[in-house]
Amino acid sequence: MKRVILLFIVFFTVNTFAQNIEYSIIVKDIETQLPIENAMVVILKTKQVLLSNEDGKVTFMLTGASNVQVSEMNYENLTLRWVTLKEDQFVVYLKNKNNKLDEIVLSKENPQKILQRIVSNSIAKLTTPYRLKVYVREFFMLDNKYSYYNDGLVNFQFSGNKKSTTTLLVEQNRSYGLLETDVSADLRGYNLNNIMENYSNLNYFRPVLDSKAKKEYDYIIKGHPNNKDYYIMKITALDKSKKDADSFEVIYDPVKKLIVEFSCVFTPGDPDKIEEKPAIGSKKITRSFVKVDYRLDGSDYYLLSSNEEIAYDLTLKDRVKNIQVRNNFITTSYNKQKFTYNESDVFKEKTLFNKQNKILTKYWDISGFTATDEEKAIIASLDFKL
């Protein structure tokens, strides 16, 4: 009888650990009780990386036991033991560092020279052979109405020296909504390979790296207000009234000379000073925002996440069409090994809406970034149109 009971216990234990259990964690500030967006959650057993959404939430599947690490540059890191985890919306509280180091950094070297060095060093680290598994999603609005949505779990293989080129393979994807026949022409620049190559080659910085840019931009370096290991460089146009201009905020490690995060905000010029009438077929950008985060894990350095938004007016013969696109990349896995594939497996189209739906699992729930309730409602409203 004892042997039967023992075998039952062993069988039950093995069966329990073999099951995929879904967990959800909500990350909050311990003082304000507000959710923390873009907190990084690493499942230490599988090395899977997730980011909290604007509600502070992440969702993941776990087979067996694993500790979980939660971090965000403004907060103290926290490691959760597996035995303390609960399956349903377990709340984790992070403590703000509150270092208050927002002073101007004095340097004998010209700030633009510093920027050139950290960009060059970051590119050298990013443009080595490796592969990333990435969850990508895109919201599309036409005349202020959500018209389309797509997401997918994809693999990027990086190759090249000093400059990255990527090969893209799609594991799973879905596309919902109704599109006009000319929508491919309307999507300005959202080519998945081009986007990833821009993040690796840091093409966004070209306007402010040229020596002539010193007369057009102001470069100021300050200490990070909550992290003593980082500096912040802010780059703004000296004359914002006459023409379109970009402003940058770059968070970087001054010792390792690597970019941790950067954002780029586009400011359109004064429309009253633009005399030219838009030509038919022309595109006028009205808003553009890019925010990119990188992860430094030991000697590994790669894209962690990105959020890119663009809005522009397309001038037609009889009307002006407003188009808005929001695109996100979230890296869930990094590997230095190359994957093998057939040339026919390579995805060569522009965006995922050009690919037939391939849904094998509910990858969107556990692949790095959990949709908010508002986003789920948008996706559901487009789902029925398919």
Side-chain angles (χ1 to χ4, degrees):
M1 186 65 180
K2 289 182 179 179
R3 290 181 179 178
V4 173
I5 294 173
L6 181 60
L7 286 171
F8 175 79
I9 292 172
V10 171
F11 175 79
F12 178 79
T13 303
V14 171
N15 189 55
T16 300
F17 275 87
Q19 291 178 353
N20 278 327
I21 301 176
E22 182 177 297
Y23 292 87
S24 61
I25 292 176
I26 296 177
V27 186
K28 290 187 176 182
D29 185 303
I30 195 170
E31 294 180 1
T32 65
Q33 301 291 301
L34 295 174
I36 300 173
E37 187 177 4
N38 289 330
M40 183 172 66
V41 177
V42 180
I43 314 304
L44 296 179
K45 177 183 178 181
T46 62
K47 302 300 182 183
Q48 184 184 8
V49 179
L50 309 103
L51 290 181
S52 60
N53 61 22
E54 62 184 48
D55 295 330
K57 186 177 181 180
V58 297
T59 306
F60 57 94
M61 301 294 291
L62 186 58
T63 302
S66 175
N67 292 344
V68 175
Q69 188 178 72
V70 186
S71 61
E72 206 277 342
M73 73 169 66
N74 296 294
Y75 294 84
E76 295 179 1
N77 295 350
L78 179 67
T79 299
L80 302 172
R81 296 179 61 196
W82 175 77
V83 292
T84 65
L85 287 178
K86 298 178 182 179
E87 293 177 26
D88 188 32
Q89 297 194 8
F90 182 64
V91 181
V92 177
Y93 295 98
L94 298 186
K95 183 179 179 182
N96 198 300
K97 291 180 178 178
N98 289 322
N99 289 323
K100 304 302 179 187
L101 297 173
D102 192 20
E103 78 276 4
I104 293 179
V105 176
L106 300 178
S107 173
K108 293 181 180 179
E109 189 174 14
N110 183 287
Q112 192 197 43
K113 293 290 186 183
I114 295 174
L115 178 66
Q116 291 170 345
R117 183 174 291 110
I118 63 172
V119 168
S120 176
N121 194 50
S122 298
I123 291 174
K125 291 279 287 183
L126 290 168
T127 54
T128 57
Y130 58 91
R131 62 184 168 98
L132 297 182
K133 179 173 285 190
V134 177
Y135 173 63
V136 56
R137 65 177 190 172
E138 187 172 70
F139 291 89
F140 179 88
M141 294 183 73
L142 180 62
D143 293 332
N144 296 312
K145 292 182 179 179
Y146 283 101
S147 303
Y148 203 79
Y149 172 83
N150 67 62
D151 67 13
L153 192 60
V154 304
N155 289 281
F156 287 95
Q157 178 68 55
F158 290 76
S159 61
N161 184 21
K162 296 183 180 180
K163 184 176 181 181
S164 275
T165 57
T166 57
T167 301
L168 174 62
L169 285 86
V170 180
E171 287 189 12
Q172 301 187 61
N173 68 288
R174 59 176 179 167
S175 299
Y176 295 143
L178 296 177
L179 288 172
E180 296 184 349
T181 55
D182 65 345
V183 71
S184 294
D186 291 344
L187 288 174
R188 183 188 175 94
Y190 276 96
N191 180 303
L192 295 178
N193 277 308
N194 287 354
I195 295 175
M196 183 59 83
E197 290 169 7
N198 285 338
Y199 296 152
S200 299
N201 299 318
L202 297 176
N203 293 330
Y204 296 92
F205 289 95
R206 287 178 180 173
V208 294
L209 292 176
D210 190 276
S211 58
K212 297 178 181 178
K214 288 188 293 184
K215 298 179 181 179
E216 300 178 1
Y217 289 89
D218 188 26
Y219 304 75
I220 297 177
I221 302 175
K222 293 185 177 182
H224 193 285
N226 292 316
N227 196 316
K228 60 182 177 60
D229 296 325
Y230 298 144
Y231 286 170
I232 300 177
M233 180 181 294
K234 294 189 177 182
I235 307 166
T236 55
L238 293 173
D239 189 348
K240 302 176 183 179
S241 61
K242 293 184 179 180
K243 62 179 183 178
D244 300 341
D246 293 321
S247 60
F248 293 82
E249 182 175 280
V250 186
I251 300 175
Y252 67 97
D253 187 321
V255 176
K256 297 176 181 178
K257 303 290 190 298
L258 292 173
I259 295 173
V260 177
E261 175 188 305
F262 80 83
S263 59
C264 176
V265 179
F266 170 83
T267 302
D270 188 346
D272 295 334
K273 297 184 179 181
I274 301 175
E275 299 178 357
E276 296 180 4
K277 185 178 179 181
I280 294 175
S282 65
K283 299 176 181 179
K284 172 62 178 175
I285 298 177
T286 57
R287 187 182 78 253
S288 176
F289 170 79
V290 179
K291 180 178 179 294
V292 184
D293 292 90
Y294 298 90
R295 186 184 184 204
L296 180 61
D297 183 20
S299 61
D300 299 333
Y301 178 64
Y302 57 91
L303 172 85
L304 175 60
S305 67
S306 68
N307 176 21
E308 194 158 347
E309 301 177 18
I310 189 169
Y312 57 94
D313 292 331
L314 176 64
T315 302
L316 303 177
K317 186 175 182 179
D318 55 344
R319 68 185 182 100
V320 175
K321 182 160 54 175
N322 179 258
I323 295 165
Q324 300 175 51
V325 187
R326 174 159 53 100
N327 183 287
N328 295 93
F329 280 11
I330 302 96
T331 295
T332 65
S333 178
Y334 168 91
N335 199 313
K336 291 183 178 178
Q337 295 180 349
K338 291 184 177 180
F339 50 68
T340 58
Y341 56 88
N342 296 320
E343 188 63 27
S344 59
D345 296 330
V346 176
F347 183 68
K348 298 179 180 179
E349 297 291 336
K350 190 173 183 180
T351 64
L352 289 179
F353 70 71
N354 292 323
K355 184 172 176 60
Q356 185 176 358
N357 285 7
K358 181 182 179 183
I359 302 173
L360 305 176
T361 64
K362 291 185 177 181
Y363 62 88
W364 50 87
D365 284 337
I366 57 172
S367 295
F369 201 70
T370 304
T372 64
D373 290 340
E374 180 183 2
E375 290 168 340
K376 288 179 180 177
I378 295 169
I379 297 168
S381 70
L382 297 171
D383 182 6
F384 82 94
K385 296 180 181 180
L386 192 65

